[in-house]
């Protein structure tokens, strides 16, 4: 029964993990094993801008959850994770297999984390959310 309690309580480490994920998303275009891009073209600059914005938003939402917990923050994290998964196909860099895998993996982890936190906070009242440690 203690395992169920572990998954039913929103803990601060989850917010810290969200901040770490945001930082990893920001630096993901420069992860090792990427195909080399010596030239900066318009496609690559849009991809980097998109990755930076998504990573900073995930980081900021995780910080906001740490300070003032609200349900909309988890919904926004889920949406950002789904956007990150779809980004290689939207911005046309799906040919870069390693980056596509990184973004799909990081996006999936953001979606799972956001869904877990939303599930944990779903039955809490607004007063209980405000008193979250």
């Amino acid at each position: 029964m203690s395992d169920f309690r572990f998954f039913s309580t929103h803990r601060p480490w989850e917010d810290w993990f969200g901040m770490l994920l945001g930082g990893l998303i920001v630096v993901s275009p420069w992860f090792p094993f990427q195909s080399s891009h010596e030239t900066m073209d318009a496609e690559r600059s849009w991809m980097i801008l998109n990755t930076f914005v998504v990573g900073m938003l995930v980081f900021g939402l995780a910080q906001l959850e740490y300070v003032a917990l609200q349900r909309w923050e988890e919904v926004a994290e889920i949406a950002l994770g789904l956007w990150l998964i779809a980004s290689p196909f939207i911005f046309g860099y799906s040919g870069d297999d390693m980056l596509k895998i990184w973004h799909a993996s990081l996006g999936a982890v953001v979606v799972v984390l956001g869904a877990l936190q939303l599930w944990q906070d779903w039955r809490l009242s607004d007063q209980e959310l405000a008193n979250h440690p």
Side-chain angles (χ1 to χ4, degrees):
M1 192 64 160
S2 64
D3 291 335
F4 183 73
R5 179 161 161 66
F6 176 78
F7 289 113
S8 65
T9 305
H10 189 131
R11 294 189 165 43
W13 69 263
E14 296 167 356
D15 301 326
W16 285 101
F17 185 61
M19 289 182 241
L20 175 67
L21 282 173
L24 287 174
I25 292 168
V26 167
V27 299
S28 65
W30 299 282
F31 279 170
F33 309 114
Q34 298 292 336
S35 59
S36 62
H37 292 281
E38 288 84 21
T39 62
M40 180 62 102
D41 56 355
E43 176 186 314
R44 182 121 173 109
S45 63
W46 278 109
M47 180 270 302
I48 290 174
L49 178 65
N50 175 63
T51 305
F52 178 78
V53 169
V54 170
M56 291 307 291
L57 286 173
V58 168
F59 183 85
L61 284 171
Q63 277 188 328
L64 194 56
E65 284 181 24
Y66 187 72
V67 175
L69 187 60
Q70 297 293 321
R71 283 183 203 92
W72 67 266
E73 297 160 350
E74 284 104 6
V75 173
E77 275 189 2
I78 292 169
L80 286 169
L82 292 173
W83 175 259
L84 187 63
I85 292 170
S87 290
F89 305 101
I90 293 170
F91 290 103
Y93 62 94
S94 60
D96 191 352
D97 289 335
M98 285 307 295
L99 190 58
K100 180 174 64 173
I101 291 169
W102 277 114
H103 282 183
S105 301
L106 289 170
V109 173
V110 170
V111 168
V112 168
L113 182 64
L116 173 67
Q117 292 173 339
L118 184 62
W119 182 64
Q120 291 169 340
D121 301 337
W122 190 256
R123 297 204 170 145
L124 297 178
S125 68
D126 291 336
Q127 183 65 26
E128 290 172 323
L129 286 174
N131 291 335
H132 177 69

